[in-house]
Amino acid sequence: MSSPRRSVLAMAVLSMLSEEPMHAYRMQQLIKERHKDEVVNVAQRNSVYQTIERLLRDGLIEVESTERAENRPERTTYRLTGTGATTLTQWLRGMVAEPAREFPEFPAALAFLPSLGSDDALGALRSRITVLEQQLAGLDAGLAEAGTFLPRLFVVEDEYRRAVLLAELDYVRSLADDVAAGELRW
């Protein structure tokens, strides 16, 4: 039997269920309330349900109960299985220890930067700088606020995102300066 397919959303669902049994909508709510939707894509509720179906098939979670309140749709509550708990631990260890080969858009766009003219590239880079500065300010404000009531352990992903964002901002500023100065030639 093959091992279950690891994904960020599947890891998040297993993690939510490691706290207590809950239904899909509650999982999605908690991810959003805790601002984990900045690192886990739960924008499409259907993707949460599809992930739950896959985890059920793989035996990592199971149905705890199904209820129907008056005039409400049926609500299924899920719980983590022993195999699910073990798998969650293995996935988290792997995700922390081993850098994943990911394909973000920005490095791909840089790979094909010569397809833009230098003026167009410079304009796009300056626009990106503005957006990155806004994102950095938002992260700083969020970290400052969270630091008043949350232990650092619960915001380390935001610290990481801030460090990566700051590095990207420094790089993009430098690249834009090189384009503006004519040091990067087309």
Side-chain angles (χ1 to χ4, degrees):
M1 183 171 147
S2 64
S3 62
R5 184 176 55 86
R6 181 174 88 183
S7 75
V8 173
L9 183 53
M11 180 270 306
V13 167
L14 293 177
S15 183
M16 293 286 110
L17 292 176
S18 73
E19 296 176 23
E20 64 182 350
M22 63 184 79
H23 52 83
Y25 183 71
R26 180 68 180 142
M27 287 180 230
Q28 189 174 26
Q29 278 182 315
L30 279 177
I31 290 170
K32 288 180 179 181
E33 285 173 14
R34 295 173 181 177
H35 302 285
K36 303 305 182 191
D37 57 331
E38 295 292 325
V39 294
V40 178
N41 185 359
V42 292
Q44 301 295 321
R45 188 179 314 162
N46 194 39
S47 60
V48 174
Y49 287 100
Q50 289 172 347
T51 298
I52 287 170
E53 286 302 316
R54 184 169 54 85
L55 295 172
L56 274 169
R57 278 193 316 270
D58 291 340
L60 303 182
I61 64 174
E62 61 191 10
V63 173
E64 178 176 85
S65 64
T66 302
E67 302 170 357
R68 180 188 291 279
E70 283 185 32
N71 299 327
R72 305 281 307 195
E74 194 172 78
R75 180 170 280 175
T76 303
T77 299
Y78 302 93
R79 69 175 165 240
L80 192 62
T81 64
T83 302
T86 301
T87 300
L88 173 61
T89 300
Q90 290 170 345
W91 285 356
L92 281 170
R93 277 191 196 122
M95 290 172 158
V96 171
E98 304 157 11
R101 187 168 180 218
E102 299 169 318
F103 299 94
E105 287 183 355
F106 185 55
L110 289 177
F112 298 98
L113 194 62
S115 295
L116 291 177
S118 62
D119 289 342
D120 197 6
L122 182 58
L125 289 168
R126 287 182 173 157
S127 292
R128 188 175 192 91
I129 289 168
T130 300
V131 172
L132 292 173
E133 288 170 340
Q134 292 167 350
Q135 289 177 346
L136 185 60
L139 259 176
D140 285 343
L143 280 166
E145 180 185 346
T148 64
F149 64 92
L150 280 176
R152 181 174 172 223
L153 178 61
F154 295 101
V155 294
V156 292
E157 77 277 6
D158 287 337
E159 290 178 358
Y160 171 79
R161 287 179 43 235
R162 185 188 187 284
V164 171
L165 189 61
L166 189 56
E168 181 180 337
L169 181 57
D170 289 344
Y171 176 77
V172 174
R173 283 178 176 152
S174 174
L175 185 60
D177 289 346
D178 289 349
V179 173
E183 293 177 21
L184 191 63
R185 300 179 201 275
W186 262 247

